[in-house]
């Protein structure tokens, strides 16, 4: 899901996939800032046109009391010379000794080399590149008072192929901010968007410096710069550190937001650590008690949470809390550091978080957004990096329509993922997160975009998808596709996979919702979904776990809202209710929204438990959403991307209030799945694995299904029955295996703690009276 609109498969049949038209908002445009137009900045401009080998430079730094004008900037035919007009300046005597040489093309980004620091930037179509450095330690901590040095790169000496590069000696090993000003052709209709007055972020920056604190509106105009840290010692992962390396068949995934998990005061954390990587560490015991063994983190790449505040608009009251608006693909979100610690602290604390999760046996999967960036569209452009470095390479364009940006993401632009250079950037990014941060897997947002060629047409064998599947570094990782996009490319069950890729099973979500709420004609497809969706995934060497089963995800209703609202209630988003999906397959159980009606509340509770039972007994990989374990509500908002409030934030007080009831049921059901391998097979069921107690599959009005999953090893069979009728059903219970008897583990109609009894309650009757909208689970035991 994207931060500014709905990003999901359409609820309903795949035939409607082409109609994924739920509008995504457009990222907003702020006043542009650049180093060139910053008050009180010292500027030294250094040319390379006459550089020969290694050259020493000692520049007087100019410190200005007024804005430095760039309107008279001109470059001669010699790309190494730069002329600037300076107004209202005074001189300081600060000496800045540097040595610089031509540099090397690889690796891209900034790296330590014997001769100093090497800076390398790809731009195929640029005609000029200027490296801009902001230097620390000049007697002020104010970024606006920093010294700025610009290196004008020479096309002959500082360019190899399409890569511009320079080595600078004498720079500090940390604390320097850097960016590039890139000039080139102005042919809009040819796809170019160069603007040499704007300082751009290096796509390969491993750390990004910008605002210190999350969502502080006063900092909204802060510029994002690349930075680096070659001073710190390597992170200590510990001598006894081990990767969890969990089998895919054993995963129970918990989709969560790092900030929202502990941002609320009810978390009990100090204000400096709420909403941070360190804050999540503090709550690992909750994850263990719940029973999940993998967290799927909403985006933790650097993103702009204040993108809606760039200019006055109906959504400028909101803050992007989901993170689907990537600024850079290598840097961790710096404002998830504790106490405003900045990018270096964010990197260290993210590693500490991963280390502690791994110590607890919990894998870390990142939700990654390679389908678009924060740079918006051509109507409201926001140039921070890719657009100004080489728009024609990085984005898909319609060259037959004035080179407009193609929009398969719903956010105004679409990354040109299968261009060789962009493909390599994505692969380098993924490898970086695995090697540097020990990430265990990735969920690819709108992954169908990654299956399109430069012209937007779908590819049968997308090079990027294949290389991710075959890459040696990524070979240990879980790779999960969201197999649709906002251009209607719906690939559930058909995503190119090379027997490696898993998929969010959107059909599972839709079919489970419809059966549990009592839609007619859904019994057969419900059986197909809970038994592993063989109709979708039993191809070549794919396994049931390649289908990620979910009823709820971050976009759409929470589980509580799914059973409390028939309609979305998105007025708070500022889009007049036009955003978010209209087809949710939800049922409010008789009353729209909040109510004190005890009968309605009881029914809603049963339905939530029914959904959870179905999810946890299904073959395939289950995924649940943060907060559903206590019944979190967003009050009917099914597109809550912009609310840094209790709408999204985990409510720890509510968890405590419901710990012995709702939470206990959810936790025990997850643990039951873990303790019963027959519910998580690594192969598809055959006729000997399951008995369907059904002889009337064609009856469209039947909303009852019962079946037994067989345990061929120990005879620990499991009997399940789901009643979606509004009346009682007397189910005939089959005989248990030899020398075994049935024990009731679950009856969602019973009150806690009888609704789930892990050790089981003996049951001997020939029939079980199953209440309306409820489910039961019996376990065969000696």
């Amino acid at each position: 899901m994207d931060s500014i609109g709905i990003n999901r498969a359409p609820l309903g049949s795949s035939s409607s996939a082409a109609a994924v038209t739920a509008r995504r908002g457009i990222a907003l445009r702020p006043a542009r800032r650049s180093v060139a137009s910053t008050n009180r900045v010292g500027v030294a401009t250094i040319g390379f046109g006459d550089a020969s080998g290694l050259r020493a430079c000692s520049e007087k730094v100019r410190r200005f009391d007024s804005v430095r004008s760039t309107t008279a900037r001109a470059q001669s035919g010699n790309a190494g010379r730069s002329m600037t007009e300076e107004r209202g300046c005074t001189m300081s005597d600060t000496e800045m000794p540097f040595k610089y040489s031509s540099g090397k093309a690889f690796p891209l980004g900034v790296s330590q080399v014997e001769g100093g620091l090497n800076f390398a930037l790809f731009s195929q179509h640029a005609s000029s590149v200027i490296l801009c450095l902001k230097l620390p330690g000049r007697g002020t901590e104010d970024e606006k008072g920093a010294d700025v040095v610009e290196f004008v790169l020479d096309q002959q000496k500082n360019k190899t192929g399409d890569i511009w590069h320079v080595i600078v000696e004498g720079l500090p090993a940390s604390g320097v901010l850097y960016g590039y000003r890139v000039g080139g052709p102005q042919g809009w209709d040819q796809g170019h968007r160069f603007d040499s007055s704007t300082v751009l972020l290096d796509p390969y920056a491993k750390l990004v410096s910008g605002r210190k604190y999350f969502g502080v509106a006063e900092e909204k105009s802060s510029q994002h710069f690349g930075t680096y840290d070659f001073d710190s010692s390597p992170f200590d992962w510990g001598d006894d550190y081990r990767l969890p390396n969990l089998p895919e068949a054993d995963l129970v995934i918990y989709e969560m937001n790092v900030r929202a998990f502990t941002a609320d005061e009810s978390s009990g954390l100090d204000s400096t650590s709420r909403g941070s990587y360190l804050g999540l560490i503090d709550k690992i015991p909750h994850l263990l008690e719940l029973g999940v063994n993998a967290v799927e983190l909403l985006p933790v790449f650097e993103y702009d949470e204040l993108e809606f505040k760039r200019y006055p608009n109906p959504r400028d009251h909101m803050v992007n809390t989901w993170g689907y608006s990537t600024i850079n693909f290598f840097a961790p979100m710096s404002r998830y550091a504790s106490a405003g610690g900045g990018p270096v602290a964010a990197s260290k604390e993210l590693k500490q978080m991963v280390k502690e999760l791994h110590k607890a046996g919990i894998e870390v999967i990142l939700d990654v957004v390679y389908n678009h960036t924060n740079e918006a569209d051509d109507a409201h452009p926001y140039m921070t990096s890719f657009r100004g470095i080489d728009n024609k390479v990085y984005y898909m364009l319609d060259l037959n329509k004035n080179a407009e940006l193609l929009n398969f993401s719903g956010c105004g632009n679409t990354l040109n993922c299968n261009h060789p250079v962009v493909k390599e950037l994505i692969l380098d990014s993924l490898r970086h997160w695995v090697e540097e941060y020990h990430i265990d897997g990735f969920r690819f947002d709108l992954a169908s975009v990654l299956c399109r060629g430069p012209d937007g047409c779908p590819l049968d064998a997308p090079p990027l998808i294949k290389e991710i599947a075959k890459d040696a570094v990524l070979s240990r990782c879980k790779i999960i596709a969201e197999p649709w996009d906002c251009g209607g490319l719906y690939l559930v069950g058909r995503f190119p996979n090379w027997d490696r890729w898993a998929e969010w099973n959107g059909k599972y979500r839709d079919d489970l919702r419809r059966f549990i709420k009592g839609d007619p004609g859904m019994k057969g497809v419900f059986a197909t979904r809970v038994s592993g969706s063989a109709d979708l995934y039993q191809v070549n060497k794919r396994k049931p776990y390649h289908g990620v089963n979910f009823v709820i995800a971050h976009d759409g209703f929470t589980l509580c809202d799914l059973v409390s609202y028939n309609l979305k209630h998105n007025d708070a988003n500022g889009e007049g209710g036009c955003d978010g999906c209209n087809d949710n397959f939800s049922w409010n159980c008789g009353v729209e929204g909040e109510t004190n009606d005890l009968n309605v509340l009881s029914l809603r509770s049963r339905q939530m438990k029914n959904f959870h039972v179905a999810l946890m007994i299904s073959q395939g990989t289950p995924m649940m959403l943060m907060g559903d374990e206590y019944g979190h509500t967003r009050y009917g908002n099914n597109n809550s991307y912009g609310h840094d409030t209790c709408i999204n934030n985990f409510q720890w007080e509510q968890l405590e209030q419901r710990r012995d009831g709702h939470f206990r049921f959810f936790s025990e059901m997850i643990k039951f799945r873990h303790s019963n391998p027959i519910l998580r097979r690594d192969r598809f069921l055959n006729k000997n694995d399951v008995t369907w107690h059904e002889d009337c599959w064609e009856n469209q009005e039947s909303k009852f299904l019962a079946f037994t999953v067989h345990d061929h090893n120990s005879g620990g069979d499991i009997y399940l029955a789901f009643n979606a009728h509004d009346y009682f059903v007397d189910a005939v219970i089959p005989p248990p295996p030899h020398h075994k008897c049935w024990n009731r583990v679950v009856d969602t109609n019973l009150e806690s703690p009888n609704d789930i009894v892990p050790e089981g309650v003996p049951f001997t009757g020939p029939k079980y009276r199953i209440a309306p909208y409820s489910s039961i689970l019996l376990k065969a035991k000696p």
Side-chain angles (χ1 to χ4, degrees), residues 337-514:
S338 62
V344 175
S347 176
K348 294 177 180 178
E349 292 176 10
L350 174 56
K351 292 173 183 175
Q352 186 65 35
M353 183 195 78
V354 173
K355 178 181 176 180
E356 294 303 319
L357 284 165
H358 283 176
K359 183 178 178 181
I362 298 172
E363 292 198 336
V364 180
I365 299 169
L366 300 186
D367 191 336
V368 291
V369 188
Y370 293 111
N371 59 80
H372 76 285
T373 74
N374 69 304
E375 294 189 298
D377 59 7
D378 285 330
H380 300 83
Y382 183 54
M383 186 182 295
T384 55
S385 183
F386 308 94
R387 181 182 177 91
I389 291 171
D390 207 326
N391 184 77
K392 193 171 183 178
V393 168
Y394 282 112
Y395 294 114
M396 295 184 191
L397 307 175
D398 187 349
L399 296 177
N400 296 318
K401 193 178 180 182
N402 201 33
E404 289 183 1
L405 292 165
L406 292 170
N407 183 15
F408 298 110
S409 67
C411 293
N413 65 69
T414 310
L415 209 63
N416 192 8
C417 299
N418 284 295
H419 183 287
V421 170
V422 185
K423 172 173 65 70
E424 199 57 39
L425 177 142
I426 294 172
L427 289 166
D428 286 343
S429 166
L430 293 168
R431 295 175 190 128
H432 173 70
W433 290 100
V434 172
E435 294 176 328
E436 186 72 13
Y437 293 93
H438 295 196
I439 297 303
D440 302 290
F442 303 92
R443 177 266 188 187
F444 292 79
D445 181 67
L446 287 186
S448 289
V449 165
L450 281 59
C451 299
R452 295 181 183 269
D455 61 354
C457 292
L459 304 173
D460 291 332
L464 174 60
I465 298 299
K466 179 179 180 180
E467 291 197 34
I468 291 173
K470 301 292 185 181
D471 189 84
V473 173
L474 306 178
S475 62
R476 72 167 182 83
C477 294
K478 283 75 177 178
I479 49 177
I480 304 168
E482 183 184 36
W484 50 79
D485 64 19
C486 288
L489 188 55
Y490 187 79
L491 295 174
V492 172
R494 299 183 296 112
F495 193 85
N497 56 80
W498 285 272
D499 297 325
R500 277 271 285 129
W501 282 83
E503 303 174 16
W504 267 24
N505 189 348
K507 292 186 177 181
Y508 180 97
R509 172 198 62 206
D510 300 349
D511 294 339
L512 264 287
R513 289 184 179 191
R514 294 186 64 192

Side-chain angles (χ1 to χ4, degrees), residues 61-75:
V61 177
R62 301 181 178 220
R63 189 171 296 282
F64 305 125
D65 292 322
S66 61
V67 176
R68 174 176 181 265
S69 171
T70 62
T71 58
R73 179 178 302 279
Q75 292 202 359

Side-chain angles (χ1 to χ4, degrees), residues 214 257-264 274-276 321 336 644 649:
F214 189 93
N257 182 315
V258 169
R259 174 168 174 79
F261 196 46
T262 63
D264 196 82
R274 290 202 294 264
S276 70
T321 61
Y336 285 174
D644 191 29
N649 293 342

Side-chain angles (χ1 to χ4, degrees), residues 595-640:
T595 181
N596 293 320
D597 189 312
L598 296 181
N599 290 328
V600 172
L601 293 175
S602 177
L603 176 55
R604 289 176 178 177
S605 176
R606 292 205 304 276
Q607 288 291 76
M608 285 190 280
K609 290 188 286 187
N610 292 336
F611 278 118
H612 191 60
V613 170
L615 180 64
M616 289 302 149
I617 61 87
S618 294
Q619 303 295 325
T621 301
M623 182 187 78
M624 65 173 292
L625 177 65
M626 177 187 89
D628 282 346
E629 69 267 36
Y630 67 82
H632 182 84
T633 180
R634 295 175 183 158
Y635 306 99
N637 192 325
N638 74 350
N639 195 25
S640 63

Side-chain angles (χ1 to χ4, degrees), residues 36 43 45 68-75 82-85 130 150 152 181 196-197:
V43 180
T45 302
R68 174 176 181 265
S69 171
T70 62
T71 58
R73 179 178 302 279
Q75 292 202 359
S82 177
M83 298 177 291
T84 62
E85 177 186 5
I130 300 173
E150 294 183 344
V152 183
R181 293 198 285 113
S196 60
S197 70

